[in-house]
Amino acid sequence: MSKPSFFEKLMGGLSKTRNEISNKIDGIINSYKKIDEELFDELEEVLVTADVGVNTTMKLIDLIKLRIKNEKVKEPEEVKGLLKEEIRKIMTELSCENQIKIEPSPSIILVVGVNGVGKTTTIGKLANNYKNQGKKVLMVAGDTFRAAAIEQLEEWSKRAGVDLISHKEGADPAAVVYDGIQAAKARKTDILICDTAGRLHNKSNLMNELNKIFRVIDKEYEDATKEILLVLDATTGQNAINQAKVFKEVANITGIAITKLDGTAKGGVIIALQSELKVPVKLVGVGEGIDDLQPFIIDDFVEAIFK
Ligand SMILES: Nc1nc2c(ncn2[C@@H]2O[C@H](COP(=O)(O)OP(=O)(O)OP(=O)(O)O)[C@@H](O)[C@H]2O)c(=O)[nH]1
Ligand SMILES: [Mg+2]
């Protein structure tokens, strides 16, 4: 059997979200003979239920109402196409790259996010992808909270065939990152990927720990291309939006990786993240396997949820 293409995997991963959005919208539209307020109310409910978020949903409804008025649209069947177009538009408003920045080399990717969202897994998949592209990759076990966290990253480093810099449990994460940078310089590494702890129970803890790491990076790796990647779990829906807000306050987040899209109908959260929070979604996780990480492409995403 041939391997599924990128788009097929995305389609598979987004199947629950597609059921929640596209199929429900079809059901609604087919039950209306003309476009009226009630139709909009039902559309609104579908979008909010799929975790598009109240603000983004309201904005979208206003935008399609305006188009319907201006273009004198009469048929309910046309509404779905308009919605698809407006979703694509609000997502592309952000004139940011949706690709992880790794050029010019060397680059450093600091991976942050609360516990359990999929940071370590995403690092493993990412390292494997870059290694396969011929890049020299090094991992840093910056989550020193538990010995198991270090072991887990070690496991991924073996699977991906890349080296790992680690200290013992309880070590200062900034010191591990410091060592990682020195090793990257000595080994002429292209991409240094750093894990961090998710178990930081409050904002000032989080800020202190991250700031220490940022200072080390700024001082020791000033010229490196930097990416601060926030990992969010799609299954948490609106909670993911709240996490993004908190992390935006403490760090200059340059991109988002959304994980676990395969198990959820809440994929609509991506629309809100990209359009409301103005942080580009750069990666999507669609499974637990090493190949289950994909670059985020707005057009493919919109096609996949409206198929
Ligand atoms: N289905 C699915 N599961 C995923 C995906 N990404 C991660 N997971 C699973 O989510 C769980 C947590 O992943 P980790 O990578 O350990 O998460 P973490 O953020 O490093 O967690 P802590 O180190 O505890 O803060 C694991 O069981 C992963 O296999 C994904 O895209 N899809
Ligand atoms: Mg981890």
Side-chain angles (χ1 to χ4, degrees), residues 60-287:
L60 283 167
I61 299 285
D62 286 347
L63 286 168
I64 55 172
K65 277 184 178 169
L66 195 67
R67 295 245 344 237
I68 287 167
K69 190 168 158 247
N70 289 344
E71 295 165 30
K72 302 191 172 50
V73 175
K74 295 273 182 290
E75 299 303 321
E77 297 94 82
E78 288 179 57
V79 174
K80 191 178 177 189
L82 293 178
L83 180 62
K84 184 174 165 184
E85 278 175 37
E86 292 308 318
I87 287 179
R88 181 180 288 129
K89 261 195 234 160
I90 64 163
M91 289 184 80
T92 44
E93 262 169 18
L94 187 65
S95 56
C96 243
E97 266 288 331
N98 279 89
Q99 257 188 31
I100 297 272
K101 248 184 94 182
I102 51 161
E103 300 289 346
S105 180
S107 78
I108 178 165
I109 305 172
L110 187 71
V111 180
V112 301
V114 305
N115 53 309
V117 289
K119 294 181 296 297
T120 307
T121 308
T122 301
I123 291 170
K125 294 169 177 175
L126 201 55
N128 185 61
N129 281 353
Y130 287 135
K131 168 103 195 288
N132 289 341
Q133 287 169 28
K135 303 282 184 199
K136 227 176 148 193
V137 185
L138 185 63
M139 289 175 174
V140 175
D143 178 359
T144 56
F145 243 80
R146 314 162 284 145
I150 302 167
E151 282 158 23
Q152 192 193 352
L153 197 62
E154 213 163 71
E155 210 35 63
W156 274 108
S157 84
K158 282 185 198 140
R159 222 174 287 167
V162 310
D163 287 344
L164 171 75
I165 300 296
S166 65
H167 286 190
K168 286 206 173 63
E169 179 185 357
D172 177 1
V176 196
V177 172
Y178 178 93
D179 279 0
I181 293 171
Q182 306 316 322
K185 284 180 184 168
R187 300 177 196 185
K188 306 220 177 328
T189 298
D190 295 309
I191 307 166
L192 186 66
I193 312 179
C194 309
D195 200 2
T196 62
R199 277 164 205 73
L200 298 161
H201 16 268
N202 65 49
K203 206 160 114 186
S204 72
N205 260 349
L206 178 71
M207 206 172 332
N208 285 342
E209 181 154 322
L210 290 180
N211 278 341
K212 241 173 125 179
I213 296 175
F214 295 143
R215 277 201 297 276
V216 167
I217 296 173
D218 286 341
K219 196 150 171 267
E220 302 298 323
Y221 224 21
E222 202 189 338
D223 296 330
T225 301
K226 296 174 191 78
E227 181 86 58
I228 302 173
L229 189 67
L230 172 65
V231 181
L232 298 171
D233 175 343
T235 63
T236 64
Q238 291 307 293
N239 218 337
I241 304 273
N242 294 334
Q243 287 168 21
K245 284 182 183 158
V246 171
F247 274 89
K248 260 187 88 174
E249 284 171 29
V250 300
N252 177 26
I253 304 296
T254 56
I256 289 174
I258 284 274
T259 62
K260 311 186 198 180
L261 268 181
D262 48 303
T264 183
K266 296 174 184 292
V269 72
I270 292 183
I271 302 169
L273 284 170
Q274 169 101 7
S275 72
E276 243 174 80
L277 268 94
K278 312 272 179 231
V279 185
V281 174
K282 296 190 172 179
L283 294 168
V284 292
V286 291

Side-chain angles (χ1 to χ4, degrees), residues 16-28:
K16 287 190 178 155
T17 300
R18 179 164 56 254
N19 282 337
E20 191 67 32
I21 297 183
S22 193
N23 298 359
K24 276 196 185 167
I25 289 177
D26 286 341
I28 293 168

